[in-house]
Amino acid sequence: MTSSTTAPKTDYLVVVIAYLSFVVLGIPGAMLGIAWTSEQWPSIQKTFNLGLDAVGALFITTTIGYSLASVFGGRLFGRFNSSSIFLVGALISAAAFLSYAFWPSWWLIVISGVVAGLGSGMLDSGMNIYFAAVFNARLMNWLHASFGIGTVIGIAMIQKVLGAGGRWETGYIIAAGAYLVVAVLFLVTRSHWVNVGRGTHEEGTHAGISARSTLRLPLVWIGLLIFLSYAGLEGVGTQWTFPLFNRGRGIDPITAGLWLGILQGSFTAGRIFFGFILAYFQPRTLIRACSLLLIITTLLLIINPIPNAAFIVLAVYGFMLAPIWALMVTYLQERLGPLHGANAIGFVVAAAGLGIGILPGLAGFLANRSSLEVVPVILFVLAIAMAGLYEISVSRRLQAWLLPTTT
């Protein structure tokens, strides 16, 4: 980085606190997969007497809040100190998740989802902006691995709470407490955080090219669909693995929760592992290999040939999904270049947020009207769609159409 805001040397106190914030960021979403529905344990669905697909409303409202924070993230950094943005995001998140535990109505929780998404989005998009401006790519990679660690902790924590006879509300109280701890850390280390506002790379990346011009490129729309599919593979897998095996296939809640933890753990391990080897392989080779194995694993989830060994399939699924995000971002950046690349990355991240917000809810809607066995079918379709769209994007015959030379 050549930005004037780049720190002369790495402040590892800031790095550690950033990683901790992403660990906390991963807890609530993963926890919801178990807290939402369980045959043997108290659940949100039972508390409010809801249908299986009602969780879709919460996904939509959190996505609205998250998208607002993401869209205005650059402007926030132009007006406020970095540490202040992170502090407010953590406090907003803490307040929202604490309210989940005490609201007497499901729809009040749904409304609070906008606030939760806003706070989480300030931390997520804000920390990505910060790391891109101040730190190197390897530290950025470990930042996202920290999120995966948070998902594993969230699953283990809510499973422990419910297994000990507690209620789902306790999980959200703990999550809120974790956000408060992070907020305190942001407060006491505020002088360590570099301000990445005016004059950073964020403002220069979009100069001379409009969003409309970028959206005229067919490759960008293919990228939007790829990231939408990827988000579905991640979001649907996280939200519906536990219900599929617990309610749908009769696996006891301890084992089903463990299997969900294996999925998230392999996803985290994959991000760490591929972070070391990405430089030694062609991105196209890795994308194709991972996509093929995702198709195979989702097909095996449908067939379920060895029910008691399904956790192995989940482990491979999570591991193969892990590098796709980074590989696809790099691929689009290289294909579109510096003029269109920045706009395009913003668009595909928004598409992924839309996928996380809509596709798990759609899966719940379909499962409620058929059975939970529709979940692996959805994953299979998404895996094929993602692989097919990528092949379209690299097709030599279509390059003149995908990237017109006149733009």
Side-chain angles (χ1 to χ4, degrees), residues 65-89 92 117-127 129-130 194-198 200 202-203:
Y66 180 89
S67 299
L68 286 172
S70 299
V71 167
F72 294 105
R75 296 184 183 181
L76 287 175
F77 276 96
R79 289 176 174 267
F80 303 101
N81 294 335
S82 303
S83 60
S84 298
I85 296 170
F86 300 141
L87 172 61
V88 172
I92 289 175
L118 185 65
S120 299
M122 289 175 69
L123 280 175
D124 191 354
S125 62
M127 203 63 77
I129 291 171
Y130 188 91
V194 176
N195 292 324
V196 292
R198 294 180 178 87
T200 66
E202 283 297 311
E203 294 183 353

Side-chain angles (χ1 to χ4, degrees), residues 65 139 149 193 226 385 399:
L139 290 177
I149 293 172
W193 295 83
I226 289 173
Q399 291 313 300

Side-chain angles (χ1 to χ4, degrees), residues 42-402:
S43 67
I44 300 173
Q45 186 188 6
K46 291 177 183 176
T47 299
F48 297 108
N49 193 27
L50 300 167
L52 192 65
D53 57 343
V55 71
L58 183 59
F59 281 124
I60 291 172
T61 56
T62 53
T63 298
I64 291 171
Y66 180 89
S67 299
L68 286 172
S70 299
V71 167
F72 294 105
R75 296 184 183 181
L76 287 175
F77 276 96
R79 289 176 174 267
F80 303 101
N81 294 335
S82 303
S83 60
S84 298
I85 296 170
F86 300 141
L87 172 61
V88 172
L91 290 174
I92 289 175
S93 299
F97 290 120
L98 188 63
S99 74
Y100 282 18
F102 295 101
W103 285 130
S105 165
W106 163 244
W107 290 108
L108 289 174
I109 293 178
V110 170
I111 293 171
S112 295
V114 176
V115 182
L118 185 65
S120 299
M122 289 175 69
L123 280 175
D124 191 354
S125 62
M127 203 63 77
N128 275 281
I129 291 171
Y130 188 91
F131 265 61
V134 178
F135 298 126
N136 58 40
R138 176 162 297 221
L139 290 177
M140 172 77 87
N141 189 64
W142 303 150
L143 177 72
H144 288 278
S146 298
F147 180 88
I149 293 172
T151 63
V152 175
I153 292 173
I155 292 166
M157 181 267 289
I158 192 63
Q159 191 174 19
K160 185 72 173 178
V161 169
L162 297 178
R167 296 183 57 82
W168 60 267
E169 292 93 336
T170 304
Y172 283 103
I173 293 172
I174 295 172
Y179 272 102
L180 285 174
V181 171
V182 168
V184 171
L185 292 175
F186 286 136
L187 180 64
V188 299
T189 62
R190 60 189 181 278
S191 63
H192 288 256
W193 295 83
V194 176
N195 292 324
V196 292
R198 294 180 178 87
T200 66
H201 73 297
E202 283 297 311
E203 294 183 353
T205 51
H206 298 270
I209 201 73
S210 68
R212 184 176 297 179
S213 297
T214 301
L215 286 172
R216 291 195 184 105
L217 302 176
L219 179 60
V220 173
W221 289 96
I222 297 295
L224 293 176
L225 294 174
I226 289 173
F227 274 78
L228 188 72
S229 301
Y230 167 86
L233 287 167
E234 183 178 334
V236 173
T238 297
Q239 178 60 33
W240 295 108
T241 291
F242 179 83
L244 170 65
F245 287 101
N246 176 231
R247 293 187 59 173
R249 296 181 176 176
I251 301 296
D252 69 88
I254 297 293
T255 302
L258 176 62
W259 289 5
L260 177 58
I262 289 173
L263 169 61
Q264 293 297 335
S266 66
F267 181 75
T268 302
R271 280 190 164 172
I272 296 172
F273 173 78
F274 283 105
F276 283 113
I277 71 165
L278 286 179
Y280 302 101
F281 292 90
Q282 288 291 330
R284 183 176 300 189
T285 301
L286 285 177
I287 290 173
R288 283 175 166 166
C290 291
S291 297
L292 177 60
L293 285 169
L294 284 170
I295 292 172
I296 293 172
T297 53
T298 52
L299 181 60
L300 288 174
L301 286 174
I302 295 172
I303 300 171
N304 198 28
I306 308 176
N308 291 331
F311 68 92
I312 298 175
V313 177
L314 291 172
V316 177
Y317 175 84
F319 200 80
M320 292 300 107
L321 189 63
I324 296 294
W325 177 280
L327 288 169
M328 288 295 187
V329 167
T330 302
Y331 165 70
L332 285 176
Q333 182 69 44
E334 291 177 350
R335 288 292 307 278
L336 293 167
L339 287 180
H340 289 289
N343 284 337
I345 297 307
F347 295 146
V348 298
V349 170
L354 187 65
I356 290 288
I358 292 177
L359 294 177
L362 176 62
F365 175 83
L366 295 174
N368 199 46
R369 280 152 182 78
S370 54
S371 76
L372 283 161
E373 292 300 325
V374 76
V375 170
V377 175
I378 293 172
L379 294 176
F380 179 66
V381 171
L382 289 171
I384 290 178
M386 186 178 72
L389 288 164
Y390 176 72
E391 291 304 319
I392 290 174
S393 77
V394 298
S395 171
R396 292 184 178 180
R397 295 181 179 180
L398 298 176
Q399 291 313 300
W401 171 70
L402 290 167

